[in-house]
Amino acid sequence: MPTGSKPIPLRIRLPYADPESFAVGWKDRLTSGGVFIATKSPKPIGTKIAFEFLLSDGSKILRGTGAVAHITDKPESGVTIRFSALD
C-alpha cells in the first residue's frame, strides 16, 4: 500500500464496561508499541489503519493510527498494528 494513502477506518466495540476490564481482557494483545487484532480478513503489511476501540457503552477507550506490521494465521488469524499516533 502506498505510504501516502488514506488510513482504513477500523472501529471495534468491546464487551468491557470500564478501562480496568479492558486492561485485563486485552493484556496479552496490547503493548506500548502496538496491538494484535484478530481478523479473518487481514490487510497487507504496511496498510495504514485509523482505529478506535469502544467500551460496551460506546465510550472511547483507545484511538489512534498505525500500520499493519505483522500478519499471523496460527493460532489465531489476525494482524499486529504498530502505533504511529495515539489519542
Side-chain angles (χ1 to χ4, degrees), residues 13-43:
R13 185 174 293 263
L14 303 164
Y16 306 109
D18 54 58
E20 293 78 19
S21 299
F22 167 72
V24 170
W26 275 60
K27 70 178 185 230
D28 294 334
R29 296 174 179 250
L30 187 63
T31 70
S32 60
V35 62
F36 173 79
I37 300 173
T39 179
K40 293 180 182 178
S41 305
K43 299 296 182 195

Side-chain angles (χ1 to χ4, degrees), residues 39-76:
T39 179
K40 293 180 182 178
S41 305
K43 299 296 182 195
I45 291 175
T47 302
K48 292 181 181 180
I49 306 288
F51 58 87
E52 187 172 71
F53 291 82
L54 306 172
L55 295 175
S56 59
D57 67 358
S59 61
K60 294 174 190 163
I61 185 72
L62 184 65
R63 182 172 67 174
T65 57
V68 175
H70 183 73
I71 300 170
T72 187
D73 60 359
K74 293 180 183 173
E76 185 176 22

